[in-house]
Amino acid sequence: MTNPLNLFDRPNSYIGKTVPRPDARRLLEGRGRFVDDIQLPRMGHAAFLRSPHAHARIVSIDVAAARAHPGVIAVFTGAEMAQHVEPYVGVLTHLAGLRSAPQHPIAVDIARWQGEPVAMVIADSRATAEDAAELIEVEYDELPAACDAETALDPGTPVIHPAFGNNLAWERTVDVGDVDAAFARDDVTVVERTMRFGRHTGVTLEPRAAVAEFDPSEDRLTFHYSGQAPHMMQFIFAKHLGLPEENVRVVAEDVGGSFGIKIHTYGDEVATAAAAKVLRRPVKFVADRAESFMTDIHARDHVVEGRMAVTADGGIAALAFDDLTGIGPFSMYPRTSAIEANQVLNLTGAPYVVPNYRATARVVFQNKNMMCQYRAVGHPIAMAICDGLLEDAAAAIGMDPVAIRRRNLMRDDGYPCASASGMKLADLSHHKAMDRLVELMDYDRLRAENAALRAQGIHRGIGFCSMVEVTNPSPMFYGVGGAPIASQDGATLRLDAGGGLQVASSVTEQGQGTNAILAQIAAGVFGVPIERVRVKTGDTETVPYGGGTWASRGAGIGGEAMLQAALALKSQVLDVAAVILQARPDDLDIRDGSVTDANGTPRMTLSDLARTVYYRGNELPSDLTPELIATRHYRVTDFPFVFTNGAMAAHVEVDPDTGFVRVLDFWAVEDCGRVINPQLVDEQIRGGVVQGIGGALYEECLYSPEGQLLNTTMADYLVPMAGEMPDIHVAHVETPTRTSVLGAKGAGEAGTGGAPAAVMNAVNDALRPLGTSIWQMPMTPERILKALGRV
Amino acid sequence: MTQTRTITLTVNGDSVTRTVPVRMNLADFLRAELGLTGTHVGCEHGVCGACTLHVDDAPVRSCLMLAVQADGASVTTVEGLADSGRGAALRAAFTARNALQCGYCTPGMLASALDYIDTGGSADRAAIREHLSGNYCRCTGYQAIVDAVCDVIEGRVTA
Ligand code: FES
Ligand code: FES
């Protein structure tokens, strides 16, 4: 039997190698299978009439003209839909005190954000459904709205859910050490900043999309889903539509980007499933871009008052902050909208030794679209707070930003240990990563070059971020609080008669290359060429039960399950081979699709073995019961999360006349444990960095004071384009996690989590000699000019 | 609202005649009427570039063109490129560089990049980035796409 220690340098070991993705060719030839590509007989197309007001009572709603419109199949008001759907509430017990109100898929009586569905039309085409939706007459009684998170708790502000008495959804405080005493010391320098993080959103290029099929003869719902967590949705449809869970099939084939946007319960999607059930025919809903901006979850929206005290030699004496975040009128179901604030409290300062730490979070309701988990949940805020204040403090005491990090970063040989907030940390490498970063970017030369250019009136800056990323979450993330979200994942390998492997996994693919790394692990650990592995993911009917892909868990958790299942199948196959070949299993191996001697000499092909088992069982001893299929599940134990670390740097140029910031260069050194496919990891980091740069410089959902979303087109909401992005240099430190044999941690969110802090620090490095700094994201030209006092 | 007109056009080399609503755009026509779902729609207002394809050999945003405007034209979609072999080197380079993640932007990205390559574009990264700035990609961060285009222009990848 293979010693696990040798798993990574065996023949057929694809782990650690760049292997092209099996899905690439299909997608390049126009053979993707996205939800909107599905056409079914008798399928109706849904369009939603949405509230034009941030807060309004629905006095009356007249759908008669819409119902009578040619081609219309059905119209549902909120009250009609409510008869078919049990309302849902986005709370979890481990977020003690979190409250939210019951939510309906379509507003009943009161609409609480602009864009909330008010009625649904199903017709023979989307165009017809939209025509009919325009014929619906709604009389609204506009109510005063609570839009601004910063005044949401003021006494005069309208209360969105009157039964709660105020707009507070949740609050939490962490208080470690003696913060007040540390700030009061006379040998510390204190910096203090108010930081604002605008709302932004995922802008998946494929909008949210759903096709629901219902077969009344079997009481069976099939939901084609552009999303990340099929089993979670299976539970949700079963519970809220009143179906047996096993009768709900959720299928996610190609997903055109997700980034956390497509992991939540959206009213329009629930209504689509319910309508298919009621109408006994398929219904399709695909959000258009305006609907995406108005209703895909938004993220961030934090105001932070932060303070840091450092000693003369740059040691962090204390870190304290108050975080306020607005989440819209409800906490999103089922993951809740308090997780981001919770993460901010958990993660801030985690790379550093912080002896005294106090943080409070307040999460408030407001009449805007809902806020929830998007790529790098909480990380950009947490990293910007600590690393922003740290570089501010460094400047205040005249210390280099790299030197102050080296002074405060936790020692690489000091793990396992805990962060100030109590997070268990292990296997991290902040100092190594920083050393690698400084070398990669040629830091001293760059500093000197910036200084020389400054003399010529060119204002460049360098900014850093030392970060941690939460990956491979255990049940402590959601399951512990009662959420129907699996933290374990499963993998099945089946040896087919032809000698190839059919493998299935409960993690999902949204473009990261999940299917590729699963194939690499299966092929390498079991012993077949990768071309002989077919991977199935994203179908509750055919894959093991599991959580899906989110929180950077696909490779680490799904990959380990695949590794364990491959080891199990290998052992089962060798047991059979040993009988056929009259050998000891320990003296056999599987390589290149054959059972071999320990030295690699082929003895029989896997297809010979499988055909003997499947077709000619008569040749086997009757007491041999071959199993050519194996399933294993894996979950992280002992640690709530498996943290990764990274060191990033941005190099920017600020034009003080226009306020424009150009990112000239970006470097990321990442330690995500064992790298399964270097190219895929690097591309995850690059894509993540670019989303982080978007949040730092461009992206913001802009609302009027009355709660009207002002930018609902791609022309008005700016995402990074090819022309303004730099090349991004990526390097790795590999410290495998001790929690698995595979040793892989996640990598999907690091870039998005760390880049905003690095870019903000770089902009401030450029601005400081001009006598100013900026603490609001996105750092738009207008805001930079304001900081410079030029407008 | 639902006026129709009969159009005849060539799609991926095949002659096609259909009666279509005059308000139907070319992207919806290809996807819904012809089942050519390789053409993707990301914004329907001409910004994201996902729907880019070739009409009479020029790149066109198929969400901004009505189907009736394509009457008499020759349309090539991503499926047509694959079947004819055109752009094979670019697809090989996209695969080698992992210049696609979710693949939703990819058909439009290929159409725009092929246009750049076939009109004699140079392997100048800034120029390539500029040319592709009408095509959004939310996944890759663009670098691998630029790498792939350079690989083709500099002959590092062949079909
Ligand atoms: S769908 Fe045509 S440009 Fe976006
Ligand atoms: S690969 Fe997903 S949008 Fe480009």
Side-chain angles (χ1 to χ4, degrees), chain B:
Chain B
M1 268 313 219
T2 48
Q3 279 177 327
T4 59
R5 188 171 301 169
T6 301
I7 57 172
T8 298
L9 64 164
T10 304
V11 179
N12 299 332
D14 296 339
S15 176
V16 170
T17 299
R18 288 284 194 284
T19 301
V20 296
V22 294
R23 69 178 176 177
M24 178 177 270
N25 69 34
L26 180 59
D28 287 351
F29 172 72
L30 294 166
R31 292 179 51 79
E33 294 292 319
L34 303 187
L36 289 167
T37 52
T39 297
H40 295 159
V41 170
C43 70
E44 297 173 278
H45 49 255
V47 181
C48 76
C51 66
T52 309
L53 43 69
H54 288 93
V55 178
D56 294 334
D57 286 329
V60 158
R61 310 214 151 191
S62 59
C63 72
L64 290 186
M65 185 176 204
L66 295 171
V68 294
Q69 290 176 295
D71 191 16
S74 174
V75 174
T76 306
T77 69
V78 66
E79 293 95 335
L81 293 177
D83 288 349
S84 72
R86 187 174 165 220
L90 186 60
R91 288 190 292 278
F94 264 58
T95 305
R97 291 288 189 171
N98 198 45
L100 69 160
Q101 289 185 23
C102 77
Y104 201 77
C105 68
T106 308
M109 201 63 90
L110 287 173
S112 293
L114 260 186
D115 179 56
Y116 180 84
I117 294 166
D118 289 355
T119 55
S122 71
D124 170 345
R125 296 182 75 81
I128 295 168
R129 285 182 175 278
E130 206 46 55
H131 183 85
L132 295 179
S133 276
N135 288 78
Y136 286 48
C137 176
R138 194 58 164 163
C139 301
T140 63
Y142 303 107
Q143 185 169 337
I145 297 172
V146 178
D147 291 340
V149 173
C150 285
D151 285 350
V152 174
I153 293 171
E154 294 182 329
R156 278 189 293 274
V157 177
T158 45

Side-chain angles (χ1 to χ4, degrees), chain A residues 196-348:
Chain A
R196 287 170 204 279
F197 302 87
R199 271 185 171 233
H200 52 247
T201 185
V203 199
T204 59
L205 203 56
E206 178 210 29
R208 289 188 295 107
V211 170
E213 298 178 68
F214 187 73
D215 181 345
S217 70
E218 295 187 321
D219 198 27
R220 184 160 190 272
L221 174 75
T222 302
F223 190 82
H224 301 272
Y225 163 65
S226 176
Q228 308 169 231
H231 279 107
M232 180 190 95
M233 291 315 295
Q234 178 191 43
F235 172 91
I236 285 169
F237 289 128
K239 176 169 162 59
H240 296 280
L241 301 186
L243 293 165
E245 214 166 308
E246 60 279 13
N247 287 10
V248 176
R249 178 183 183 190
V250 179
V251 183
E253 293 209 66
D254 290 319
V255 175
S258 194
F259 319 120
I261 296 300
K262 296 175 179 173
I263 201 162
H264 310 291
T265 306
Y266 290 95
D268 43 29
E269 295 179 31
V270 174
T272 300
K277 182 173 176 239
V278 174
L279 301 173
R280 302 156 66 100
R281 61 193 289 179
V283 177
K284 177 188 275 189
F285 167 67
V286 180
D288 67 23
R289 190 51 63 183
E291 289 179 300
S292 305
F293 280 115
M294 280 191 292
T295 67
D296 285 7
I297 57 103
H298 292 174
R300 324 307 180 208
D301 199 359
H302 292 252
V303 181
V304 176
E305 309 275 349
R307 283 191 301 159
M308 182 182 278
V310 296
T311 55
D313 70 343
I316 298 172
L319 171 62
F321 67 91
D322 295 319
D323 176 26
L324 174 75
T325 179
I327 60 166
F330 299 96
S331 167
M332 200 80 184
Y333 180 70
R335 288 172 190 256
T336 84
S337 303
I339 291 282
E340 173 147 297
N342 198 42
Q343 291 290 53
V344 172
L345 266 52
N346 285 342
L347 302 180
T348 303

Side-chain angles (χ1 to χ4, degrees), chain A residues 21 202 679 699 721 727-728, chain B residues 42 96 100 129 133 138 143:
Chain A
R21 292 166 51 207
Q679 182 183 57
E699 298 184 37
M721 309 243 274
D727 282 344
I728 294 158
Chain B
L100 69 160
R129 285 182 175 278
S133 276
R138 194 58 164 163
Q143 185 169 337

Side-chain angles (χ1 to χ4, degrees), chain A residues 53 132 216 237 307 383 545 703:
Chain A
H53 304 295
F237 289 128
R307 283 191 301 159
M383 303 312 143
Y545 201 97
Y703 276 90

